[in-house]
Amino acid sequence: MARRILLDCDPGHDDAVAILLALASPAELELLGLCVVGGNVKLDATVLNARKLLALAGREDIPVYAGCPRPMLREMVTAEHVHGDTGLDSGSGRELPEPDTPVANQHAVSLLIDTIRQAPAGEITLVATGPLTNVAVAFAMAPDIIDRLHELVVMGGAGFEPGNITPAAEFNIFVDPHAARAVFESGVKLTMFGLDVTHQMLITPPRLKNIAENGGRVGEVVADLLDFFNQYDIGKYGWDGAPLHDPCTIAWLIDPTLFEGRAMHVAVDTNEGPSLGRTVTDWFGVTDAEPNAMVITKGDADRFFALITERLALLK
Ligand code: RIB
Ligand code: CA
């Protein structure tokens, strides 16, 4: 039976691939809805992008819920420098088709609470690939849902890799470090895909070409999007491709053998200063803090990209 998931995201190019990979994998995953948060770009744009991606995949039957437009305490930080002004700029300049279906009326936080409460305990998996504001607010409003979740799978943080928005912090955590700290301290069963593993998943020219040529109709569009997405990180890191962060969460749910990790304690630094938003991972267990996350540290990039290409081709 397919795992029932909710995806809280801030599309964004890599969120887009995560969404499409989930839609292309009905045998493993039932995507119940998209909860959207401000992050890569402002909320109105991330919501529009989520709706556009469902239209691209012919799946506007899946509802989109708008969530929190800004972090709990700090000012909003966005990443147009990476994702372009729309949040889904493409190499060709082409834009995705306009959606027909409006955004749902219910707030994403309320949807998260209602869906998790109404489903049998342990049935819903929550995946979060943006700042954790919606998740933290839902946990604060309804702490009973924490133990009802099957698990929470997060793209965010960095144990040993430097940060990508500051030298210490990864973007999703940095945008709302207070939300992230609340989530990591909530007791939820948490798996963390941080930069330690996502920086192994580089969109190299052969992989991008394979998506374009063998990913079907949707793969062609994705390759055009990733062509733009590659530009900033290739310039920044000097690598032969940008890291494809968010789909790691979905690929792991489809095939856990793609990745490996280790349980450890993760603390989120919420002190103003150069380490704000850092995820301090106790790799060697030198504190007496109980592990609160499975931190994924390694992945098979070739199999990861082969899975993405093969599945995108299934979206007719
Ligand atoms: O640091 C990378 C993460 O921040 C990804 O989820 C990207 O989409 C942005 O949200
Ligand atoms: Ca994201």
Side-chain angles (χ1 to χ4, degrees), residues 4-41:
R4 303 180 75 209
I5 71 168
L6 286 168
L7 174 54
D8 191 273
C9 53
D10 63 334
H13 293 74
D14 52 334
D15 303 76
V17 182
I19 293 166
L20 295 168
L21 179 59
L23 292 172
S25 308
E28 295 93 349
L29 303 173
E30 180 189 357
L31 180 59
L32 301 174
L34 293 180
C35 296
V36 188
V37 67
N40 283 319
V41 287

Side-chain angles (χ1 to χ4, degrees), residues 10 14-15 40 83 129-130 155 164 170-172 195 245-246:
D10 63 334
D14 52 334
D15 303 76
N40 283 319
H83 298 271
T129 60
M155 190 280 136
N164 60 1
E170 177 278 324
F171 179 82
N172 286 336
L195 301 182
H245 308 281
D246 294 336

Side-chain angles (χ1 to χ4, degrees), residues 150-213:
H150 183 76
E151 61 188 319
L152 170 65
V153 187
V154 169
M155 190 280 136
F160 288 81
E161 277 290 287
N164 60 1
I165 189 73
T166 72
E170 177 278 324
F171 179 82
N172 286 336
I173 307 299
F174 180 75
V175 169
D176 198 340
H178 304 93
R181 179 174 169 186
V183 170
F184 275 79
E185 294 182 356
S186 69
V188 69
K189 182 183 177 192
L190 195 157
T191 299
M192 170 179 139
F193 285 82
L195 301 182
D196 304 310
V197 62
T198 67
H199 278 185
Q200 300 166 32
M201 305 297 154
L202 302 185
I203 311 165
T204 60
R207 290 166 179 164
L208 187 58
K209 185 168 181 289
N210 193 31
I211 291 172
E213 295 179 353

